[in-house]
Amino acid sequence: MSIKDRIQEANREAFSRFEKATPVWVDVRSAIDVLPNMTRSTILHAGPPIRWEDMCGPQKMGVVQGILHEGLAQTEAEAEALIAQGAITVAPCHDYGAVGGMAGITTASSPLAVVHDPVHDTWGYSQLFQGPATGLQSRDHYNREARKRWTWLETVLAPTLSAALRTTAGIPVKPVIARSLEMGDECHNRNSAGSNIILNAIILAIFDTCTDHERLRDVLGYLKINDQFSLCVSMAMGKALANAISDIEYSTVVSTMCRNGVEFGIKVSGLGDRWFTAPANRIHGLYFSSEWSDADAVPDIGDSSIMETIGLGGHVQAAAPALQQFVNGSFARAQSVVRDMAQITVDSLNEFKISNMDFIGAPAAIDIRKVVKTGVTPVIDTAIAHRKGGVIGAGQTTAPLDCFAQALKAFGEKHAGNA
């Protein structure tokens, strides 16, 4: 069999695994309890590996606050000293089987949405959504409020959701995604429909298992107002699907895409755990207040591009026409993006249909060969992070071409001489 045929067969296998997967949201658990090799002194971040001194502001701040939250240090200076001494392990979420939005900070006690795909016996984990950022005008106030919110997620929301989920057979995630697309989400920047669907799916179980009236009110209030909650579950699903294709010999399909506010990183199925990175692009979008501008924002950041990795987000942008307001675009432009993504993917996932484009499926399984050949790179729908922390806008960016070119070169070198 020729190398070309082997690649084609491997890529069809990768796409088939996306199709056959049946991911289910089964629990909410602490990171220390579910992530392999997680320790009390491990702090995880979004994106590819990066040295502490090279991190952008939001990630540095998040790592320090995570150390304080875990009680590993009493002051920021002590936390930074521990990092310098090597007493704290700082690593990417992806290298521990997890994903994290924006700065992506996950600590030992962080509650994670747990998704299992029984078809391939793969697992995906994602941090829970804290809620809208407040207090950007005061760094100390913002950090205090963030740590307070972390504690609430750990002590109130997580055990309540876990107790409810364990009385069910879990919530199948693909049907949630499919309905969300029909209702105007693209399952990355817009998650209003998905969050309502999940609330409807779990509300009776929460009501039956939560006997504390005040806690019940707090939890339902949180789920009612946080339109982005379903993204946590979707990202965990994305990681479970990506894990299913993480090591297929000869496959040129991308198994990971993520960013840390400095670099954009990818992994490729046939190249295992090797990272390929390039400078992260700026985000073009709309700021939520006139007081913010590009000078306040960091480049592309977060693990939420796991959604584009599996064919959602920017790949199905036309399903959510409302998002075009962030980029001064149009529905025609959104359709054009979907067609561009079809040029660089293996096939279309028919269970994820774009109804307003004659029910075509989501373009999925990004092929690094097609990216390099066409020069078309994945479009990422994303939020904009303030350099001091917090979300200040939303928009769109593209993955840098160079990391795909590096990966293709490495793939060629690995298989040089093969017939």
Side-chain angles (χ1 to χ4, degrees):
M1 184 182 293
S2 70
I3 182 70
K4 183 176 180 180
D5 289 340
R6 287 174 177 172
I7 292 171
Q8 175 133 347
E9 183 179 88
N11 287 351
R12 289 304 311 179
E13 173 62 21
F15 180 81
S16 174
R17 292 185 189 183
F18 280 168
E19 281 189 309
K20 293 176 180 177
T22 58
V24 180
W25 181 28
V26 295
D27 208 345
V28 175
R29 300 282 302 280
S30 297
I32 191 71
D33 295 330
V34 293
L35 298 187
N37 303 316
M38 188 70 179
T39 71
R40 290 287 173 190
S41 58
T42 299
I43 309 291
L44 305 181
H45 63 80
I50 186 170
R51 298 187 309 166
W52 163 255
E53 52 267 34
D54 295 330
M55 278 186 174
C56 67
Q59 276 201 336
K60 276 191 170 183
M61 184 176 74
V63 170
V64 167
Q65 297 307 310
I67 293 170
L68 296 179
H69 177 71
E70 292 293 332
L72 302 172
Q74 299 303 310
T75 66
E76 292 187 5
E78 287 179 12
E80 293 190 18
L82 287 175
I83 296 169
Q85 294 163 14
I88 302 293
T89 298
V90 182
C93 291
H94 273 288
D95 286 354
Y96 283 69
V99 284
M102 300 307 286
I105 305 306
T106 297
T107 68
S109 59
S110 294
L112 305 178
V114 179
V115 169
H116 181 229
D117 169 27
V119 173
H120 304 103
D121 194 24
T122 55
W123 298 81
Y125 308 94
S126 175
Q127 62 184 188
L128 299 184
F129 180 61
Q130 282 188 24
T134 59
L136 283 171
Q137 71 281 2
S138 168
R139 182 172 180 268
D140 289 341
H141 172 74
Y142 177 84
N143 288 333
R144 283 195 304 272
E145 289 301 309
R147 294 202 301 273
K148 185 186 301 183
R149 198 65 171 167
W150 286 357
T151 299
W152 185 85
L153 293 176
E154 293 164 12
T155 60
V156 177
L157 182 65
T160 303
L161 292 178
S162 180
L165 284 165
R166 292 183 186 194
T167 66
T168 72
I171 297 176
V173 188
K174 277 188 169 180
V176 173
I177 297 291
R179 284 192 61 201
S180 300
L181 293 173
E182 293 173 357
M183 296 167 67
D185 284 0
E186 41 66 85
C187 305
H188 187 165
N189 255 10
R190 191 180 192 279
N191 299 282
S192 302
S195 295
N196 283 329
I197 293 167
I198 283 180
L199 176 57
N200 286 338
I202 199 173
I203 191 169
L204 288 181
I206 293 174
F207 184 81
D208 288 341
T209 55
C210 184
T211 57
D212 183 319
H213 180 77
E214 288 304 315
R215 172 175 289 207
L216 177 65
R217 183 180 181 85
D218 284 350
V219 168
L220 293 182
Y222 165 92
L223 293 172
K224 178 177 181 291
I225 68 169
N226 283 312
D227 284 353
Q228 296 293 351
F229 178 78
S230 66
L231 180 58
C232 307
V233 179
S234 299
M235 285 174 61
M237 177 202 75
K239 185 58 178 169
L241 265 62
N243 284 342
I245 68 160
S246 63
D247 196 15
I248 302 173
E249 186 71 9
Y250 289 104
S251 176
T252 55
V253 170
V254 174
S255 58
T256 299
M257 290 197 301
C258 57
R259 39 289 197 250
N260 56 31
V262 178
E263 290 184 313
F264 191 106
I266 69 169
K267 293 182 182 181
V268 177
S269 176
L271 296 173
D273 282 334
R274 184 173 173 184
W275 286 101
F276 301 92
T277 63
N281 289 330
R282 306 293 299 188
I283 300 166
H284 304 286
L286 179 70
Y287 291 100
F288 298 151
S289 169
S290 59
E291 68 180 289
W292 296 316
S293 68
D294 289 350
D296 299 302
V298 298
D300 198 15
I301 185 171
D303 288 334
S304 56
S305 50
I306 192 68
M307 303 313 298
E308 282 77 10
T309 307
I310 63 167
L312 295 166
H315 284 224
V316 292
Q317 196 173 106
L323 292 182
Q324 289 300 309
Q325 65 183 307
F326 294 131
V327 292
N328 196 28
S330 65
F331 182 58
R333 180 183 180 280
Q335 290 178 304
S336 177
V337 169
V338 175
R339 295 189 187 103
D340 284 346
M341 298 304 96
Q343 293 184 55
I344 60 172
T345 47
V346 173
D347 208 339
S348 297
L349 286 171
N350 289 324
E351 60 195 321
F352 296 156
K353 296 182 184 297
I354 307 173
S355 57
N356 51 17
M357 287 186 71
D358 295 327
F359 302 97
I360 64 171
I366 300 162
D367 185 343
I368 59 172
R369 299 174 305 161
K370 294 181 178 181
V371 172
V372 174
K373 180 179 179 179
T374 63
V376 175
T377 60
V379 170
I380 313 293
D381 290 343
T382 190
I384 303 173
H386 194 282
R387 56 188 171 81
K388 294 182 180 179
V391 177
I392 58 173
Q396 189 181 94
T397 188
T398 56
L401 180 62
D402 189 53
C403 50
F404 297 89
Q406 292 175 40
L408 185 58
K409 180 181 178 182
F411 188 91
E413 290 171 347
K414 178 179 178 180
H415 296 290
N418 288 350

